[in-house]
Amino acid sequence: MNASAGASASAVHGPLQDAQAQLAEAVEHLKCPPGLHEMLAMPRRELMVAVPLRRDDGSTAVYSGYRVQHNFSRGPAKGGLRFSTAVDLDEVRALAMWMTWKCALVDVPYGGAKGGVAIEPRDHSIGELERVTRRYTSEILPIIGPGTDVPAPDIGTDEQTMAWIMDTFSVAKGHTVPGVVTGKPIALGGSLGRASATSRGVAHVALMAMASRGLEPTTASAAVQGFGKVGRGAARLLAESGVTVRAISDVDGAIFAPDGIDITRLGAHVDREGTVVGFDGAQPLDPADLLTLDIDVLVPAAIEGVITEANAPHVRASIVVEGANGPTTQAADAILTDRGVLVVPDILANAGGVIVSYFEWVQSNQAYQWRESEVNERLEEKMTAAWHDVVDYAGAHGLTYRQAATSLAVRRVLEAHDLRGLYP
Ligand code: NAD
């Protein structure tokens, strides 16, 4: 196990530097003592593992795997598992820290964690992905569990990945442990409503943000970057609310239709072709142009660091709703704020996933399934409450929504830490 000091800044600017800068702002606002700042800046536990894979052709490949647990003050660690070649330790550290704030902000009883394997899932067969997942799980097995750390899907992973993790963990324990992951298939104790929860939350806060700016859904337009688990549902739900979704992109390219994209037809095209590119209901678009289109709402729902110092001055949307984690760099955030763009921060905008993950964990641990309407109703309740907490706090203290959200979250984590005390 790597007991590295953790959050040391590397020379290259990336998500960890953004996460650390956001924490520093919150800590300054809260007048938090330097020792506590240092404690929050450093992950509690980090594990780096080699993940050897026997490939279908009989050769062996080895991938780097990570699990970082940032904080446990409010409960077991919780966070997604990412399969992407962009994964490295610093990215996982940043994502784990954001999970701590997200869980605290929406008041679910978890700390934050994140995991990743530096692998391109599209280059592997289903059998290879199963072997990688099972081997990674067995390597991190000592530090995960329903009361310790609960993985969930993220970029490049899905409910099948969660089923393999759950099975590998259960075989090792000698009995079935559904609560070790969330985002698993319904047939294995997954929650109704979990698959669409992140998107539902994104769409819900987007509509609240639009209302706060006097925008009517039926006359508003949007662009969505990413057409995966988050972007696809967000685009569909926004379109169902009457918003004209003009542009959508994925890793292969982007498409544009001035009168709106038919999301259901696009979904069928993507299920067939694996990409939005080539959809006959829209024209091709340079993916970089999606971020600066003349639309009302921009939903980055793919990866980190896409709204930068270079393109932020040209963003024409009046509202940015961060479906992805960390899509806006710290420098870009300042530019958007100066230009009066309302940025709904990731830890609020995409928290629907962890809220329903929490509901799933409760259901798994109690072996009792809730109705989908019950799940969606409670999700909306929690998202609405968090939205108002952030808006009120930002208004009362003259902060941006990101500063308010992070400060509220850090304050809650510190309160829990204070009540528990520092051991020994
Ligand atoms: P996913 O793998 O299901 O989808 C990712 C999408 O982004 C794909 O359509 C992919 O083609 C696209 N993409 C990748 N690189 C791109 C690029 N450079 N330009 C445009 N598109 C690109 O992943 P996901 O679960 O939808 O996650 C997306 C983001 O949302 C991530 O930041 C993730 O951490 C965050 N998030 C996910 C959840 C969840 O429940 N899945 C919850 C909270 C936050």
Side-chain angles (χ1 to χ4, degrees):
M1 197 169 298
N2 172 21
S4 130
S8 61
S10 68
V12 186
H13 190 94
L16 183 60
Q17 286 70 26
D18 289 332
Q20 293 288 4
Q22 291 157 9
L23 170 63
E25 277 187 353
V27 156
E28 194 186 329
H29 164 73
L30 294 169
K31 300 185 177 31
C32 159
L36 289 180
H37 180 184
E38 213 176 312
M39 193 190 73
L40 294 176
M42 198 178 289
R44 294 291 301 274
R45 192 184 278 157
E46 299 182 344
L47 184 57
M48 283 196 284
V49 296
V51 187
L53 165 70
R54 188 171 17 83
R55 297 211 61 173
D56 293 341
D57 65 7
S59 65
T60 301
V62 184
Y63 301 95
S64 298
Y66 308 90
R67 188 74 191 171
V68 173
Q69 297 167 344
H70 172 257
N71 190 279
F72 311 103
S73 289
R74 290 173 43 89
K78 181 89 190 81
L81 167 64
R82 179 174 288 197
F83 283 179
S84 156
T85 49
V87 162
D88 64 20
L89 183 56
D90 276 358
E91 182 188 64
V92 179
R93 285 169 170 163
L95 291 162
M97 185 187 288
W98 284 325
M99 280 306 297
T100 301
W101 311 146
K102 193 181 302 181
C103 293
L105 180 65
V106 296
D107 203 12
V108 291
Y110 293 134
K114 202 79 179 191
V117 179
I119 188 172
E120 172 49 65
R122 298 208 295 181
D123 293 347
H124 294 273
S125 68
I126 191 90
E128 289 185 349
L129 290 175
E130 176 173 358
R131 293 196 287 282
V132 160
T133 304
R134 288 187 183 278
R135 183 59 188 250
Y136 168 76
T137 305
S138 83
E139 295 293 344
I140 66 161
L141 206 128
I143 63 164
I144 61 169
T148 9
D149 180 1
V150 185
D154 193 77
I155 292 179
T157 59
D158 58 17
E159 59 175 33
Q160 178 60 74
T161 323
M162 296 306 117
W164 291 327
I165 296 178
M166 192 274 252
D167 184 68
T168 307
F169 187 88
S170 298
V171 167
K173 296 290 170 195
H175 59 100
T176 299
V177 188
V180 66
V181 287
T182 58
K184 33 182 197 295
I186 306 284
L188 294 180
S191 177
L192 296 168
R194 171 62 183 90
S196 59
T198 309
S199 312
R200 193 170 289 281
V202 168
H204 188 61
V205 289
L207 293 172
M208 288 192 286
M210 285 159 63
S212 78
R213 287 270 167 130
L215 286 172
E216 283 292 332
T218 48
T219 52
S221 58
V224 180
Q225 183 189 52
F227 200 66
K229 293 184 292 299
V230 180
R232 182 171 176 161
R236 177 178 60 82
L237 291 160
L238 285 173
E240 283 174 9
S241 304
V243 176
T244 305
V245 180
R246 294 218 164 102
I248 293 181
S249 66
D250 65 18
V251 71
D252 297 316
I255 55 168
F256 173 71
D259 296 331
I261 295 169
D262 181 333
I263 310 297
T264 309
R265 277 193 59 228
L266 176 63
H269 169 87
V270 170
D271 289 341
R272 252 187 344 264
E273 308 294 333
T275 173
V276 300
V277 175
F279 177 56
D280 64 7
Q283 61 202 62
L285 175 76
D286 182 332
D289 291 345
L290 178 136
L291 299 171
T292 55
L293 281 180
D294 186 11
I295 34 114
D296 298 302
V297 183
L298 175 61
V299 183
I303 53 171
E304 300 98 62
V306 293
I307 305 179
T308 63
E309 214 169 344
N311 60 22
H314 311 294
V315 167
R316 282 188 280 175
S318 56
I319 298 172
V320 173
V321 181
E322 295 186 333
N325 287 308
T328 312
T329 66
Q330 185 76 357
D333 208 25
I335 295 170
L336 294 179
T337 301
D338 279 352
R339 296 184 52 231
V341 178
L342 171 57
V343 180
V344 185
D346 45 12
I347 59 171
L348 171 61
N350 68 35
V354 80
I355 291 173
V356 177
S357 273
Y358 165 58
F359 296 161
E360 179 177 329
W361 182 73
V362 169
Q363 293 170 78
S364 285
N365 294 339
Q366 296 185 338
Y368 181 77
Q369 190 163 62
W370 303 356
R371 290 188 312 277
E372 186 165 0
S373 57
E374 208 173 335
V375 171
N376 289 342
E377 208 175 289
R378 291 184 190 199
L379 164 64
E380 277 197 14
E381 227 171 73
K382 271 205 166 294
M383 290 297 295
T384 306
W387 164 264
H388 287 299
D389 281 353
V390 170
V391 172
D392 292 351
Y393 196 86
H397 297 275
L399 301 174
T400 67
Y401 285 7
R402 188 186 317 279
Q403 290 164 336
T406 312
S407 298
L408 271 170
V410 170
R411 196 175 70 177
R412 286 178 187 167
V413 172
L414 285 174
E415 186 189 355
H417 172 76
D418 243 25
L419 288 165
R420 291 176 63 157
L422 179 62
Y423 175 84

